Amino acid sequence: METVVCKFGGTSVANAAQVAKVGEIVRGDPRRRIVVVSAPGKRHSGDRKITDLLFLCHQLAANDVDFSAPFEVIANRFQHMAAQLGVDGIADESLAELRGGIAAGQSEDWVASRGEHLSARILAAHLGARFIETADLLGIDLHGLPTAESYARLATALAGDDVCVVPGYYGVGPDGGVKVFSRGGSDITGAVVARAVNAAVYENWTDVSGFMMADPRIVPHARPMREVTYAELRELSYMGASVLHDEAIFPVREAGIPIHIKNTNATEDPGTLVTATRDHTRNPVVGVAGKATFTVICLAKALMNKEIGFGRRLLGILETHGINWEHTPTGIDSMSVVISDEELGDQADELTQQMRMELQPDYLAVDRDLALISVVGLGMSHQVGIAGRCFGALARSKVNVRMISQGVNELSIIVGTSRADFEAAVRALYDAFVSGGE
Ligand code: ASP
């Protein structure tokens, strides 16, 4: 029989009632043999995630401050959950070990990983399933990426036909101690496990019915995507449309395993299927995403086009400051670099000083008023008229376009506008391609 790996996020295991739903979902399909689980997340908007509380405990202990208040919140949540699910006592030993570990100065990663550990132990007991300890199976390298050896080790441990529960987010680091992925990393664990067992599909269960075609805070009538390709999803996630951890795509993409985003609280909803290709004839565009927080540094210099190495030196300055840039629009004697505000931080003055000194530009300006919006879709490639529709819609909404970028793969058109026009631009682009579509 085919194997389905299903990963449940923090809100799907936030309390006993949610865990009971997870149980029903897993039992609802015999192919769902491997279950990867996050730590309990928020039960309501004002709530705290278990992982955040664990980081807090570690920080307090590291500063010799009493950590019992947040620890009690954690312990109560797990104990209450276990009791309500009829698996009382299952968390006690791990909780005692956790308290002792925090007090004894265990590493931050070890402490942070315990949310997933306890969550998986409780779910395994609830399902009558096998708990799999990933601390000696899933290797995480110095860059926080899964190691190649992990796959064979996981495949061996997960062999059989019984249901297995795997804690997400953590594994073993290069020094042999517990190491965690970046935040939200249980998605990566799910992808690695799916690839290790060559799953038919990687189901990622969350609290939304798939990827929205635009941010619903800006476009309230936005619909979920039924299908999207891995490559389209990459384009959208770089613009901040994230339901799934960025790095979770790669392990399954290489193996051609589809990812199915599903809603634990609305199991009948079709969700979003992420695959290698899709039929894009009806929906050339899958989504519109963007961020209003970019800065552009613009340099001009007479005869820049003859100055070989100008671009390299400009980007080299960014590199030495550890800054990741997004785009480099150019004219014959001008070059700009677009950088997200998060990346730039407070380094603008230092950077421009160095650029003035090393590049001797005739003109240099920093413009902090840039928003970028990306219209993404496989159907744009080799299709006449998509860009026309895009810019026509922006013009009708009186949005001034300040920058345009389209890669040769024609997967997306990126437009830059002033921050004040950001929301109007997203709405105009969404309506131009999506309303009346699908
Ligand atoms: N619990 C971890 C976090 O909150 C990892 C995860 O949920 O995927 O970031």
Side-chain angles (χ1 to χ4, degrees), residues 202-237:
Y202 168 28
E203 288 180 345
N204 192 291
W205 292 82
T206 174
D207 54 5
V208 288
S209 294
F211 294 108
M212 301 306 278
M213 298 176 89
D215 184 339
R217 286 167 301 186
I218 302 174
V219 184
H221 55 285
R223 288 199 298 242
M225 303 170 196
R226 294 289 285 272
E227 262 188 309
V228 60
T229 68
Y230 305 117
E232 288 171 327
L233 196 58
R234 280 293 294 153
E235 291 286 330
L236 288 163
S237 67

PDB file of all heavy atoms in Angstrom, residues 202-237:
ATOM      1  N   TYR A 202       2.708  14.121   0.534  1.00  0.00           N
ATOM      2  CA  TYR A 202       3.041  14.721   1.829  1.00  0.00           C
ATOM      3  C   TYR A 202       1.889  15.654   2.185  1.00  0.00           C
ATOM      4  O   TYR A 202       1.731  16.713   1.578  1.00  0.00           O
ATOM      5  CB  TYR A 202       4.371  15.479   1.714  1.00  0.00           C
ATOM      6  CG  TYR A 202       4.719  16.380   2.879  1.00  0.00           C
ATOM      7  CD1 TYR A 202       4.262  16.121   4.169  1.00  0.00           C
ATOM      8  CD2 TYR A 202       5.536  17.492   2.707  1.00  0.00           C
ATOM      9  CE1 TYR A 202       4.592  16.955   5.243  1.00  0.00           C
ATOM     10  CE2 TYR A 202       5.882  18.329   3.756  1.00  0.00           C
ATOM     11  CZ  TYR A 202       5.392  18.049   5.018  1.00  0.00           C
ATOM     12  OH  TYR A 202       5.711  18.879   6.078  1.00  0.00           O
ATOM     13  N   GLU A 203       1.063  15.221   3.137  1.00  0.00           N
ATOM     14  CA  GLU A 203      -0.057  16.067   3.555  1.00  0.00           C
ATOM     15  C   GLU A 203       0.404  16.997   4.665  1.00  0.00           C
ATOM     16  O   GLU A 203       0.966  16.543   5.667  1.00  0.00           O
ATOM     17  CB  GLU A 203      -1.212  15.207   4.084  1.00  0.00           C
ATOM     18  CG  GLU A 203      -1.941  14.441   3.014  1.00  0.00           C
ATOM     19  CD  GLU A 203      -3.082  13.606   3.582  1.00  0.00           C
ATOM     20  OE1 GLU A 203      -3.141  13.397   4.819  1.00  0.00           O
ATOM     21  OE2 GLU A 203      -3.909  13.139   2.786  1.00  0.00           O
ATOM     22  N   ASN A 204       0.140  18.268   4.497  1.00  0.00           N
ATOM     23  CA  ASN A 204       0.532  19.255   5.501  1.00  0.00           C
ATOM     24  C   ASN A 204      -0.755  19.878   6.040  1.00  0.00           C
ATOM     25  O   ASN A 204      -1.394  20.680   5.368  1.00  0.00           O
ATOM     26  CB  ASN A 204       1.438  20.296   4.839  1.00  0.00           C
ATOM     27  CG  ASN A 204       2.118  21.171   5.862  1.00  0.00           C
ATOM     28  OD1 ASN A 204       1.465  21.966   6.521  1.00  0.00           O
ATOM     29  ND2 ASN A 204       3.433  21.005   6.026  1.00  0.00           N
ATOM     30  N   TRP A 205      -1.130  19.447   7.252  1.00  0.00           N
ATOM     31  CA  TRP A 205      -2.405  19.874   7.835  1.00  0.00           C
ATOM     32  C   TRP A 205      -2.188  21.108   8.699  1.00  0.00           C
ATOM     33  O   TRP A 205      -1.347  21.127   9.595  1.00  0.00           O
ATOM     34  CB  TRP A 205      -3.002  18.744   8.678  1.00  0.00           C
ATOM     35  CG  TRP A 205      -3.448  17.580   7.840  1.00  0.00           C
ATOM     36  CD1 TRP A 205      -2.674  16.575   7.354  1.00  0.00           C
ATOM     37  CD2 TRP A 205      -4.786  17.326   7.389  1.00  0.00           C
ATOM     38  NE1 TRP A 205      -3.437  15.692   6.614  1.00  0.00           N
ATOM     39  CE2 TRP A 205      -4.745  16.130   6.628  1.00  0.00           C
ATOM     40  CE3 TRP A 205      -6.011  17.979   7.536  1.00  0.00           C
ATOM     41  CZ2 TRP A 205      -5.876  15.579   6.041  1.00  0.00           C
ATOM     42  CZ3 TRP A 205      -7.147  17.418   6.958  1.00  0.00           C
ATOM     43  CH2 TRP A 205      -7.068  16.232   6.212  1.00  0.00           C
ATOM     44  N   THR A 206      -3.017  22.133   8.425  1.00  0.00           N
ATOM     45  CA  THR A 206      -2.831  23.393   9.117  1.00  0.00           C
ATOM     46  C   THR A 206      -4.196  23.976   9.478  1.00  0.00           C
ATOM     47  O   THR A 206      -5.177  23.233   9.588  1.00  0.00           O
ATOM     48  CB  THR A 206      -1.938  24.313   8.229  1.00  0.00           C
ATOM     49  OG1 THR A 206      -1.856  25.586   8.812  1.00  0.00           O
ATOM     50  CG2 THR A 206      -2.470  24.452   6.813  1.00  0.00           C
ATOM     51  N   ASP A 207      -4.285  25.301   9.673  1.00  0.00           N
ATOM     52  CA  ASP A 207      -5.586  25.873  10.060  1.00  0.00           C
ATOM     53  C   ASP A 207      -6.180  26.759   8.972  1.00  0.00           C
ATOM     54  O   ASP A 207      -7.052  27.566   9.228  1.00  0.00           O
ATOM     55  CB  ASP A 207      -5.471  26.640  11.382  1.00  0.00           C
ATOM     56  CG  ASP A 207      -4.385  27.695  11.338  1.00  0.00           C
ATOM     57  OD1 ASP A 207      -3.788  27.899  10.258  1.00  0.00           O
ATOM     58  OD2 ASP A 207      -4.126  28.329  12.376  1.00  0.00           O
ATOM     59  N   VAL A 208      -5.670  26.626   7.749  1.00  0.00           N
ATOM     60  CA  VAL A 208      -6.271  27.332   6.618  1.00  0.00           C
ATOM     61  C   VAL A 208      -6.498  26.321   5.492  1.00  0.00           C
ATOM     62  O   VAL A 208      -5.843  25.285   5.444  1.00  0.00           O
ATOM     63  CB  VAL A 208      -5.365  28.481   6.085  1.00  0.00           C
ATOM     64  CG1 VAL A 208      -5.344  29.646   7.055  1.00  0.00           C
ATOM     65  CG2 VAL A 208      -3.958  28.002   5.783  1.00  0.00           C
ATOM     66  N   SER A 209      -7.417  26.660   4.579  1.00  0.00           N
ATOM     67  CA  SER A 209      -7.776  25.697   3.529  1.00  0.00           C
ATOM     68  C   SER A 209      -6.885  25.832   2.301  1.00  0.00           C
ATOM     69  O   SER A 209      -7.363  25.838   1.171  1.00  0.00           O
ATOM     70  CB  SER A 209      -9.247  25.855   3.168  1.00  0.00           C
ATOM     71  OG  SER A 209     -10.016  25.489   4.279  1.00  0.00           O
ATOM     72  N   GLY A 210      -5.596  26.002   2.526  1.00  0.00           N
ATOM     73  CA  GLY A 210      -4.656  26.064   1.410  1.00  0.00           C
ATOM     74  C   GLY A 210      -4.028  27.431   1.294  1.00  0.00           C
ATOM     75  O   GLY A 210      -4.238  28.307   2.135  1.00  0.00           O
ATOM     76  N   PHE A 211      -3.246  27.601   0.238  1.00  0.00           N
ATOM     77  CA  PHE A 211      -2.602  28.891  -0.018  1.00  0.00           C
ATOM     78  C   PHE A 211      -3.628  29.839  -0.614  1.00  0.00           C
ATOM     79  O   PHE A 211      -4.317  29.481  -1.571  1.00  0.00           O
ATOM     80  CB  PHE A 211      -1.457  28.740  -1.026  1.00  0.00           C
ATOM     81  CG  PHE A 211      -0.327  27.920  -0.504  1.00  0.00           C
ATOM     82  CD1 PHE A 211      -0.100  26.645  -0.987  1.00  0.00           C
ATOM     83  CD2 PHE A 211       0.520  28.416   0.478  1.00  0.00           C
ATOM     84  CE1 PHE A 211       0.945  25.886  -0.509  1.00  0.00           C
ATOM     85  CE2 PHE A 211       1.567  27.661   0.956  1.00  0.00           C
ATOM     86  CZ  PHE A 211       1.782  26.401   0.469  1.00  0.00           C
ATOM     87  N   MET A 212      -3.712  31.040  -0.084  1.00  0.00           N
ATOM     88  CA  MET A 212      -4.642  32.007  -0.636  1.00  0.00           C
ATOM     89  C   MET A 212      -3.991  32.671  -1.853  1.00  0.00           C
ATOM     90  O   MET A 212      -2.781  32.893  -1.878  1.00  0.00           O
ATOM     91  CB  MET A 212      -4.993  33.063   0.405  1.00  0.00           C
ATOM     92  CG  MET A 212      -5.613  32.483   1.658  1.00  0.00           C
ATOM     93  SD  MET A 212      -7.049  31.433   1.319  1.00  0.00           S
ATOM     94  CE  MET A 212      -8.298  32.682   1.151  1.00  0.00           C
ATOM     95  N   MET A 213      -4.823  33.013  -2.835  1.00  0.00           N
ATOM     96  CA  MET A 213      -4.292  33.625  -4.058  1.00  0.00           C
ATOM     97  C   MET A 213      -3.832  35.066  -3.820  1.00  0.00           C
ATOM     98  O   MET A 213      -3.137  35.644  -4.661  1.00  0.00           O
ATOM     99  CB  MET A 213      -5.326  33.550  -5.170  1.00  0.00           C
ATOM    100  CG  MET A 213      -5.655  32.100  -5.504  1.00  0.00           C
ATOM    101  SD  MET A 213      -6.946  31.950  -6.732  1.00  0.00           S
ATOM    102  CE  MET A 213      -6.019  31.965  -8.238  1.00  0.00           C
ATOM    103  N   ALA A 214      -4.224  35.636  -2.691  1.00  0.00           N
ATOM    104  CA  ALA A 214      -3.702  36.951  -2.284  1.00  0.00           C
ATOM    105  C   ALA A 214      -3.944  37.049  -0.780  1.00  0.00           C
ATOM    106  O   ALA A 214      -4.734  36.282  -0.221  1.00  0.00           O
ATOM    107  CB  ALA A 214      -4.413  38.068  -3.014  1.00  0.00           C
ATOM    108  N   ASP A 215      -3.271  37.960  -0.136  1.00  0.00           N
ATOM    109  CA  ASP A 215      -3.424  38.134   1.307  1.00  0.00           C
ATOM    110  C   ASP A 215      -4.863  38.579   1.615  1.00  0.00           C
ATOM    111  O   ASP A 215      -5.283  39.657   1.184  1.00  0.00           O
ATOM    112  CB  ASP A 215      -2.419  39.211   1.762  1.00  0.00           C
ATOM    113  CG  ASP A 215      -2.427  39.385   3.268  1.00  0.00           C
ATOM    114  OD1 ASP A 215      -3.418  39.010   3.916  1.00  0.00           O
ATOM    115  OD2 ASP A 215      -1.421  39.908   3.792  1.00  0.00           O
ATOM    116  N   PRO A 216      -5.624  37.762   2.367  1.00  0.00           N
ATOM    117  CA  PRO A 216      -7.033  38.114   2.605  1.00  0.00           C
ATOM    118  C   PRO A 216      -7.221  39.393   3.427  1.00  0.00           C
ATOM    119  O   PRO A 216      -8.306  39.961   3.431  1.00  0.00           O
ATOM    120  CB  PRO A 216      -7.591  36.892   3.354  1.00  0.00           C
ATOM    121  CG  PRO A 216      -6.433  36.045   3.704  1.00  0.00           C
ATOM    122  CD  PRO A 216      -5.229  36.478   2.935  1.00  0.00           C
ATOM    123  N   ARG A 217      -6.154  39.860   4.064  1.00  0.00           N
ATOM    124  CA  ARG A 217      -6.298  41.143   4.773  1.00  0.00           C
ATOM    125  C   ARG A 217      -6.386  42.289   3.759  1.00  0.00           C
ATOM    126  O   ARG A 217      -6.900  43.353   4.050  1.00  0.00           O
ATOM    127  CB  ARG A 217      -5.102  41.382   5.707  1.00  0.00           C
ATOM    128  CG  ARG A 217      -5.157  40.492   6.950  1.00  0.00           C
ATOM    129  CD  ARG A 217      -3.851  40.505   7.666  1.00  0.00           C
ATOM    130  NE  ARG A 217      -2.778  40.024   6.787  1.00  0.00           N
ATOM    131  CZ  ARG A 217      -1.530  39.819   7.160  1.00  0.00           C
ATOM    132  NH1 ARG A 217      -1.170  40.074   8.385  1.00  0.00           N
ATOM    133  NH2 ARG A 217      -0.630  39.371   6.310  1.00  0.00           N
ATOM    134  N   ILE A 218      -5.846  42.045   2.568  1.00  0.00           N
ATOM    135  CA  ILE A 218      -5.895  43.084   1.530  1.00  0.00           C
ATOM    136  C   ILE A 218      -7.027  42.805   0.539  1.00  0.00           C
ATOM    137  O   ILE A 218      -7.714  43.707   0.098  1.00  0.00           O
ATOM    138  CB  ILE A 218      -4.537  43.157   0.775  1.00  0.00           C
ATOM    139  CG1 ILE A 218      -3.409  43.433   1.774  1.00  0.00           C
ATOM    140  CG2 ILE A 218      -4.575  44.228  -0.306  1.00  0.00           C
ATOM    141  CD1 ILE A 218      -2.025  43.380   1.160  1.00  0.00           C
ATOM    142  N   VAL A 219      -7.191  41.527   0.217  1.00  0.00           N
ATOM    143  CA  VAL A 219      -8.258  41.136  -0.725  1.00  0.00           C
ATOM    144  C   VAL A 219      -9.199  40.194   0.031  1.00  0.00           C
ATOM    145  O   VAL A 219      -8.992  38.975   0.046  1.00  0.00           O
ATOM    146  CB  VAL A 219      -7.664  40.409  -1.960  1.00  0.00           C
ATOM    147  CG1 VAL A 219      -8.766  40.090  -2.975  1.00  0.00           C
ATOM    148  CG2 VAL A 219      -6.559  41.224  -2.612  1.00  0.00           C
ATOM    149  N   PRO A 220     -10.233  40.731   0.679  1.00  0.00           N
ATOM    150  CA  PRO A 220     -11.085  39.882   1.528  1.00  0.00           C
ATOM    151  C   PRO A 220     -11.753  38.739   0.762  1.00  0.00           C
ATOM    152  O   PRO A 220     -12.046  37.706   1.350  1.00  0.00           O
ATOM    153  CB  PRO A 220     -12.130  40.853   2.086  1.00  0.00           C
ATOM    154  CG  PRO A 220     -11.562  42.215   1.884  1.00  0.00           C
ATOM    155  CD  PRO A 220     -10.629  42.143   0.713  1.00  0.00           C
ATOM    156  N   HIS A 221     -11.988  38.906  -0.537  1.00  0.00           N
ATOM    157  CA  HIS A 221     -12.647  37.839  -1.296  1.00  0.00           C
ATOM    158  C   HIS A 221     -11.636  36.867  -1.918  1.00  0.00           C
ATOM    159  O   HIS A 221     -12.011  36.056  -2.781  1.00  0.00           O
ATOM    160  CB  HIS A 221     -13.566  38.441  -2.367  1.00  0.00           C
ATOM    161  CG  HIS A 221     -12.853  39.398  -3.287  1.00  0.00           C
ATOM    162  ND1 HIS A 221     -12.498  40.677  -2.896  1.00  0.00           N
ATOM    163  CD2 HIS A 221     -12.416  39.276  -4.557  1.00  0.00           C
ATOM    164  CE1 HIS A 221     -11.889  41.289  -3.905  1.00  0.00           C
ATOM    165  NE2 HIS A 221     -11.817  40.457  -4.925  1.00  0.00           N
ATOM    166  N   ALA A 222     -10.369  36.918  -1.499  1.00  0.00           N
ATOM    167  CA  ALA A 222      -9.343  36.037  -2.096  1.00  0.00           C
ATOM    168  C   ALA A 222      -9.718  34.568  -1.899  1.00  0.00           C
ATOM    169  O   ALA A 222     -10.234  34.178  -0.853  1.00  0.00           O
ATOM    170  CB  ALA A 222      -7.982  36.315  -1.475  1.00  0.00           C
ATOM    171  N   ARG A 223      -9.425  33.779  -2.919  1.00  0.00           N
ATOM    172  CA  ARG A 223      -9.764  32.346  -2.862  1.00  0.00           C
ATOM    173  C   ARG A 223      -8.502  31.517  -2.649  1.00  0.00           C
ATOM    174  O   ARG A 223      -7.409  31.956  -3.009  1.00  0.00           O
ATOM    175  CB  ARG A 223     -10.379  31.933  -4.193  1.00  0.00           C
ATOM    176  CG  ARG A 223     -11.763  32.474  -4.412  1.00  0.00           C
ATOM    177  CD  ARG A 223     -12.447  31.668  -5.484  1.00  0.00           C
ATOM    178  NE  ARG A 223     -11.716  31.783  -6.749  1.00  0.00           N
ATOM    179  CZ  ARG A 223     -12.234  32.302  -7.839  1.00  0.00           C
ATOM    180  NH1 ARG A 223     -13.460  32.762  -7.825  1.00  0.00           N
ATOM    181  NH2 ARG A 223     -11.543  32.355  -8.951  1.00  0.00           N
ATOM    182  N   PRO A 224      -8.667  30.297  -2.114  1.00  0.00           N
ATOM    183  CA  PRO A 224      -7.480  29.429  -2.029  1.00  0.00           C
ATOM    184  C   PRO A 224      -7.116  28.873  -3.409  1.00  0.00           C
ATOM    185  O   PRO A 224      -7.976  28.714  -4.257  1.00  0.00           O
ATOM    186  CB  PRO A 224      -7.910  28.297  -1.093  1.00  0.00           C
ATOM    187  CG  PRO A 224      -9.353  28.461  -0.830  1.00  0.00           C
ATOM    188  CD  PRO A 224      -9.863  29.681  -1.534  1.00  0.00           C
ATOM    189  N   MET A 225      -5.855  28.581  -3.611  1.00  0.00           N
ATOM    190  CA  MET A 225      -5.416  27.965  -4.873  1.00  0.00           C
ATOM    191  C   MET A 225      -5.746  26.479  -4.789  1.00  0.00           C
ATOM    192  O   MET A 225      -5.509  25.866  -3.763  1.00  0.00           O
ATOM    193  CB  MET A 225      -3.886  28.030  -5.002  1.00  0.00           C
ATOM    194  CG  MET A 225      -3.321  29.397  -4.924  1.00  0.00           C
ATOM    195  SD  MET A 225      -1.503  29.268  -4.784  1.00  0.00           S
ATOM    196  CE  MET A 225      -1.165  30.929  -4.237  1.00  0.00           C
ATOM    197  N   ARG A 226      -6.231  25.920  -5.881  1.00  0.00           N
ATOM    198  CA  ARG A 226      -6.452  24.469  -5.890  1.00  0.00           C
ATOM    199  C   ARG A 226      -5.141  23.747  -6.208  1.00  0.00           C
ATOM    200  O   ARG A 226      -4.854  22.691  -5.662  1.00  0.00           O
ATOM    201  CB  ARG A 226      -7.508  24.104  -6.941  1.00  0.00           C
ATOM    202  CG  ARG A 226      -8.871  24.647  -6.604  1.00  0.00           C
ATOM    203  CD  ARG A 226      -9.456  23.893  -5.419  1.00  0.00           C
ATOM    204  NE  ARG A 226      -9.920  22.568  -5.815  1.00  0.00           N
ATOM    205  CZ  ARG A 226     -11.126  22.320  -6.264  1.00  0.00           C
ATOM    206  NH1 ARG A 226     -12.011  23.290  -6.354  1.00  0.00           N
ATOM    207  NH2 ARG A 226     -11.482  21.098  -6.625  1.00  0.00           N
ATOM    208  N   GLU A 227      -4.365  24.343  -7.104  1.00  0.00           N
ATOM    209  CA  GLU A 227      -3.112  23.715  -7.527  1.00  0.00           C
ATOM    210  C   GLU A 227      -2.043  24.768  -7.726  1.00  0.00           C
ATOM    211  O   GLU A 227      -2.350  25.859  -8.217  1.00  0.00           O
ATOM    212  CB  GLU A 227      -3.317  23.041  -8.883  1.00  0.00           C
ATOM    213  CG  GLU A 227      -3.583  21.574  -8.814  1.00  0.00           C
ATOM    214  CD  GLU A 227      -3.578  21.001 -10.224  1.00  0.00           C
ATOM    215  OE1 GLU A 227      -4.277  21.537 -11.097  1.00  0.00           O
ATOM    216  OE2 GLU A 227      -2.845  20.039 -10.443  1.00  0.00           O
ATOM    217  N   VAL A 228      -0.827  24.464  -7.400  1.00  0.00           N
ATOM    218  CA  VAL A 228       0.288  25.382  -7.623  1.00  0.00           C
ATOM    219  C   VAL A 228       1.538  24.516  -7.825  1.00  0.00           C
ATOM    220  O   VAL A 228       1.608  23.402  -7.281  1.00  0.00           O
ATOM    221  CB  VAL A 228       0.419  26.357  -6.419  1.00  0.00           C
ATOM    222  CG1 VAL A 228       0.675  25.636  -5.109  1.00  0.00           C
ATOM    223  CG2 VAL A 228       1.494  27.418  -6.632  1.00  0.00           C
ATOM    224  N   THR A 229       2.484  24.989  -8.616  1.00  0.00           N
ATOM    225  CA  THR A 229       3.699  24.179  -8.783  1.00  0.00           C
ATOM    226  C   THR A 229       4.735  24.594  -7.725  1.00  0.00           C
ATOM    227  O   THR A 229       4.647  25.684  -7.156  1.00  0.00           O
ATOM    228  CB  THR A 229       4.317  24.359 -10.182  1.00  0.00           C
ATOM    229  OG1 THR A 229       4.819  25.686 -10.286  1.00  0.00           O
ATOM    230  CG2 THR A 229       3.317  24.080 -11.287  1.00  0.00           C
ATOM    231  N   TYR A 230       5.710  23.714  -7.505  1.00  0.00           N
ATOM    232  CA  TYR A 230       6.777  24.028  -6.535  1.00  0.00           C
ATOM    233  C   TYR A 230       7.431  25.367  -6.889  1.00  0.00           C
ATOM    234  O   TYR A 230       7.711  26.184  -6.025  1.00  0.00           O
ATOM    235  CB  TYR A 230       7.890  22.974  -6.557  1.00  0.00           C
ATOM    236  CG  TYR A 230       7.467  21.541  -6.347  1.00  0.00           C
ATOM    237  CD1 TYR A 230       7.657  20.600  -7.362  1.00  0.00           C
ATOM    238  CD2 TYR A 230       6.945  21.110  -5.142  1.00  0.00           C
ATOM    239  CE1 TYR A 230       7.307  19.270  -7.178  1.00  0.00           C
ATOM    240  CE2 TYR A 230       6.592  19.779  -4.950  1.00  0.00           C
ATOM    241  CZ  TYR A 230       6.774  18.861  -5.979  1.00  0.00           C
ATOM    242  OH  TYR A 230       6.434  17.570  -5.799  1.00  0.00           O
ATOM    243  N   ALA A 231       7.689  25.562  -8.201  1.00  0.00           N
ATOM    244  CA  ALA A 231       8.406  26.768  -8.624  1.00  0.00           C
ATOM    245  C   ALA A 231       7.566  28.022  -8.381  1.00  0.00           C
ATOM    246  O   ALA A 231       8.074  29.049  -7.940  1.00  0.00           O
ATOM    247  CB  ALA A 231       8.774  26.649 -10.108  1.00  0.00           C
ATOM    248  N   GLU A 232       6.260  27.921  -8.659  1.00  0.00           N
ATOM    249  CA  GLU A 232       5.386  29.072  -8.409  1.00  0.00           C
ATOM    250  C   GLU A 232       5.357  29.393  -6.911  1.00  0.00           C
ATOM    251  O   GLU A 232       5.387  30.555  -6.509  1.00  0.00           O
ATOM    252  CB  GLU A 232       3.963  28.765  -8.898  1.00  0.00           C
ATOM    253  CG  GLU A 232       3.828  28.731 -10.407  1.00  0.00           C
ATOM    254  CD  GLU A 232       2.466  28.202 -10.851  1.00  0.00           C
ATOM    255  OE1 GLU A 232       1.890  27.320 -10.154  1.00  0.00           O
ATOM    256  OE2 GLU A 232       1.980  28.636 -11.902  1.00  0.00           O
ATOM    257  N   LEU A 233       5.308  28.343  -6.132  1.00  0.00           N
ATOM    258  CA  LEU A 233       5.260  28.545  -4.686  1.00  0.00           C
ATOM    259  C   LEU A 233       6.514  29.241  -4.167  1.00  0.00           C
ATOM    260  O   LEU A 233       6.459  30.096  -3.295  1.00  0.00           O
ATOM    261  CB  LEU A 233       5.105  27.172  -4.014  1.00  0.00           C
ATOM    262  CG  LEU A 233       4.671  27.213  -2.572  1.00  0.00           C
ATOM    263  CD1 LEU A 233       3.345  27.935  -2.441  1.00  0.00           C
ATOM    264  CD2 LEU A 233       4.540  25.799  -2.048  1.00  0.00           C
ATOM    265  N   ARG A 234       7.647  28.888  -4.733  1.00  0.00           N
ATOM    266  CA  ARG A 234       8.903  29.551  -4.354  1.00  0.00           C
ATOM    267  C   ARG A 234       8.808  31.049  -4.634  1.00  0.00           C
ATOM    268  O   ARG A 234       9.173  31.866  -3.815  1.00  0.00           O
ATOM    269  CB  ARG A 234      10.075  28.981  -5.161  1.00  0.00           C
ATOM    270  CG  ARG A 234      10.614  27.699  -4.668  1.00  0.00           C
ATOM    271  CD  ARG A 234      11.278  27.829  -3.317  1.00  0.00           C
ATOM    272  NE  ARG A 234      12.475  28.645  -3.323  1.00  0.00           N
ATOM    273  CZ  ARG A 234      12.928  29.326  -2.276  1.00  0.00           C
ATOM    274  NH1 ARG A 234      12.287  29.292  -1.140  1.00  0.00           N
ATOM    275  NH2 ARG A 234      14.028  30.023  -2.353  1.00  0.00           N
ATOM    276  N   GLU A 235       8.300  31.377  -5.808  1.00  0.00           N
ATOM    277  CA  GLU A 235       8.180  32.795  -6.168  1.00  0.00           C
ATOM    278  C   GLU A 235       7.279  33.521  -5.179  1.00  0.00           C
ATOM    279  O   GLU A 235       7.541  34.640  -4.790  1.00  0.00           O
ATOM    280  CB  GLU A 235       7.570  32.954  -7.576  1.00  0.00           C
ATOM    281  CG  GLU A 235       8.466  32.495  -8.689  1.00  0.00           C
ATOM    282  CD  GLU A 235       9.623  33.462  -8.962  1.00  0.00           C
ATOM    283  OE1 GLU A 235       9.483  34.666  -8.741  1.00  0.00           O
ATOM    284  OE2 GLU A 235      10.681  32.981  -9.402  1.00  0.00           O
ATOM    285  N   LEU A 236       6.199  32.857  -4.787  1.00  0.00           N
ATOM    286  CA  LEU A 236       5.256  33.516  -3.884  1.00  0.00           C
ATOM    287  C   LEU A 236       5.818  33.610  -2.468  1.00  0.00           C
ATOM    288  O   LEU A 236       5.613  34.597  -1.780  1.00  0.00           O
ATOM    289  CB  LEU A 236       3.933  32.734  -3.850  1.00  0.00           C
ATOM    290  CG  LEU A 236       3.081  32.855  -5.116  1.00  0.00           C
ATOM    291  CD1 LEU A 236       2.042  31.754  -5.165  1.00  0.00           C
ATOM    292  CD2 LEU A 236       2.394  34.217  -5.164  1.00  0.00           C
ATOM    293  N   SER A 237       6.552  32.590  -2.048  1.00  0.00           N
ATOM    294  CA  SER A 237       6.993  32.590  -0.648  1.00  0.00           C
ATOM    295  C   SER A 237       8.090  33.625  -0.425  1.00  0.00           C
ATOM    296  O   SER A 237       8.182  34.214   0.638  1.00  0.00           O
ATOM    297  CB  SER A 237       7.454  31.209  -0.208  1.00  0.00           C
ATOM    298  OG  SER A 237       8.619  30.863  -0.895  1.00  0.00           O
TER     299      SER A 237
END
